[in-house]
Amino acid sequence: MNCKKYRICLMLLVLALLAGTAFYYMTNEKDTREPKDGMLVQEVISEESRNYA
């Protein structure tokens, strides 16, 4: 019977962690879709690269 209790507690813990992670994502990370500081990379096509394509 003790093994069954441990399994139930473990499953509840895992489900609570998943629910907490989803809640955190929905409240904090979803609204921060602004561009972040980074490096802008622009592709420049030259004559040499056109010959290889």
Side-chain angles (χ1 to χ4, degrees):
M1 186 84 176
N2 286 336
C3 186
K4 190 174 182 180
K5 284 183 185 179
Y6 290 130
R7 286 183 185 175
I8 290 172
C9 288
L10 186 61
M11 289 302 293
L12 288 175
L13 180 67
V14 169
L15 290 175
L17 286 173
L18 288 174
T21 304
F23 178 75
Y24 176 78
Y25 172 76
M26 296 296 278
T27 56
N28 294 332
E29 298 294 324
K30 190 176 181 182
D31 296 331
T32 59
R33 297 204 180 228
E34 300 172 2
K36 296 182 179 180
D37 291 338
M39 183 186 304
L40 178 63
V41 178
Q42 181 179 2
E43 183 179 356
V44 178
I45 300 175
S46 65
E47 279 295 320
E48 292 176 4
S49 63
R50 287 184 190 161
N51 292 336
Y52 294 119

